Amino acid sequence: MTSFKVEQLPSPLNVLGEGPHWSIEHQCLYYNDIYGGTIHRYDYAQNKTYTATIDGFPVISFIIPVEGDNQKFIIGTDKKVTLIEWDGVSEQGKFIKTVGEVEFDLPDNRFNDAKTDSRGRFYGGTMRLEAKGDIFEARLGTFYRYDALKQKFVGLKKNIGVSNGLCWNEAGNLFYYIDSCDLDVKEYHVDENGDLSNERKVIDFTVNGARPSFVPDGMTIDTDGNLYVATFGGSTVYKINPKKGKIELEIKFPCEQITSAAFGGPNLDILFVTTAAKEFKSPQPAPAGALFKVTGLGVKGTPMHNVNLG
């Protein structure tokens, strides 16, 4: 029986904490507050979180370090991927340039979750803004891969409700993806170009065809190929065996809105988990919005990768 421990870390209570990315190089966790408009760096050695804003960007969907420059990052700003500079300590980051933009004809969309594969290729998807209505009402999002050489976005999947959790197995030939509105996790084969095929539903969270009390949100993976799915509204991260399609462990938290997870720490055996303090109905009580860590899971995560902008 797995004996694990959930602990709150010193961190601000985020409106909508998201996007955890563990940097092996810097031994720290970067993450963001989407509607708080902030980026964060949790320093593992110091057990301290640093926070910054970037002028002109009140909504920040993700943060990913850039390969080859330890003070540059890409962030999601509306429907753009934006390059910024941040020293990881200062309270202000600096806008550098817009890397690219999608969906000029869809003003109510924004980027949501995004990550990079082992080659540094960017993958990320869009969704309709939550303020525009029930997330289940419209499927206006698209899931993209960014071709750095051609400097263009390649659409991989259309008719997305809320583009969310994404991760690759250690070999890099299998990709897992969550559209929160599908209430499931899907698996794909990945070819040399980074394109997807052979869709397979790994697990379905509906209960006798009805919606559960949560939606699946962010996701990560361990070296054994097990998935860790955050549940927005479910107070839980589920450990899922994708081969069996079964939940093998429930990791409970003292707040409802669990948004994402990433393995980190010196041995990649600590699960860092982000949460949200405010949904669009009412604020949630503390410690909602905090950053948590889970130790004692007895597994290791796969390394996360910087983005290669070519």
Side-chain angles (χ1 to χ4, degrees):
M1 188 72 179
T2 301
S3 177
F4 60 86
K5 184 178 182 181
V6 175
E7 298 174 82
Q8 182 180 345
L9 294 172
S11 58
L13 298 181
N14 285 185
V15 178
L16 184 52
E18 264 285 4
H21 180 110
W22 177 259
S23 169
I24 294 176
E25 181 182 3
H26 298 116
Q27 290 294 291
C28 64
L29 185 84
Y30 295 101
Y31 66 108
N32 58 283
D33 183 348
I34 294 180
Y35 286 116
T38 52
I39 54 176
H40 307 290
R41 183 181 70 88
Y42 170 72
D43 189 297
Y44 178 79
Q46 296 180 12
N47 192 32
K48 179 179 179 179
T49 299
Y50 295 88
T51 299
T53 58
I54 299 100
D55 285 344
F57 298 108
V59 177
I60 297 175
S61 299
F62 57 81
I63 178 170
I64 303 171
V66 172
E67 183 65 29
D69 193 318
N70 61 16
Q71 292 194 11
K72 286 193 171 62
F73 304 83
I74 56 168
I75 59 172
T77 57
D78 296 322
K79 295 171 293 173
K80 297 176 182 178
V81 174
T82 299
L83 182 66
I84 65 161
E85 187 172 33
W86 183 40
D87 62 9
V89 176
S90 303
E91 295 180 358
Q92 194 75 32
K94 179 184 176 184
F95 169 80
I96 302 297
K97 68 175 184 178
T98 298
V99 175
E101 184 174 1
V102 299
E103 302 172 4
F104 295 91
D105 58 333
L106 296 172
D108 293 337
N109 274 17
R110 69 166 175 85
F111 264 113
N112 198 40
D113 211 352
K115 287 182 183 175
T116 53
D117 68 6
S118 60
R119 297 188 184 183
R121 294 180 294 204
F122 170 91
Y123 288 74
T126 57
M127 59 176 285
R128 187 181 70 165
L129 293 167
E130 298 95 326
K132 295 298 178 178
D134 189 327
I135 61 170
F136 289 93
E137 287 179 351
R139 289 182 169 271
L140 301 178
T142 298
F143 184 61
Y144 299 94
R145 170 175 58 79
Y146 182 69
D147 188 325
L149 292 178
K150 297 180 180 179
Q151 296 187 344
K152 71 172 187 177
F153 290 92
V154 179
L156 300 177
K157 284 179 63 66
K158 296 184 179 297
N159 301 315
I160 301 296
V162 178
S163 188
N164 240 320
L166 58 160
C167 58
W168 294 259
N169 67 341
E170 192 169 29
N173 64 319
L174 294 177
F175 173 72
Y176 298 92
Y177 179 69
I178 292 172
D179 176 347
S180 292
C181 294
D182 286 345
L183 301 169
D184 61 22
V185 180
K186 293 185 174 72
E187 176 192 87
Y188 299 86
H189 284 268
V190 186
D191 67 17
E192 281 294 309
N193 295 322
D195 295 329
L196 310 178
S197 63
N198 298 342
E199 179 179 290
R200 179 178 78 89
K201 187 181 292 188
V202 168
I203 191 166
D204 187 341
F205 293 110
T206 59
V207 182
N208 297 320
R211 293 183 195 173
S213 59
F214 62 86
V215 296
D217 201 324
M219 175 171 56
T220 192
I221 192 168
D222 66 27
T223 55
D224 296 323
N226 295 302
L227 306 173
Y228 296 76
V229 178
T231 62
F232 195 95
S235 304
T236 305
V237 170
Y238 287 118
K239 178 183 179 180
I240 295 166
N241 183 323
K243 293 180 180 178
K244 297 179 180 179
K246 291 184 178 180
I247 295 171
E248 297 199 334
L249 182 67
E250 298 184 12
I251 306 170
K252 294 291 185 180
F253 293 83
C255 49
E256 291 182 10
Q257 297 171 163
I258 316 303
T259 55
S260 194
F263 280 100
N267 300 310
L268 295 181
D269 59 354
I270 299 171
L271 187 69
F272 292 99
V273 177
T274 54
T275 65
K278 188 178 186 301
E279 207 253 354
F280 286 88
K281 296 177 182 178
S282 61
Q284 301 290 308
L291 177 67
F292 293 86
K293 72 173 181 180
V294 186
T295 53
L297 289 169
V299 298
K300 291 187 177 183
T302 61
M304 301 186 77
H305 303 280
N306 298 341
V307 65
N308 188 343
L309 295 178

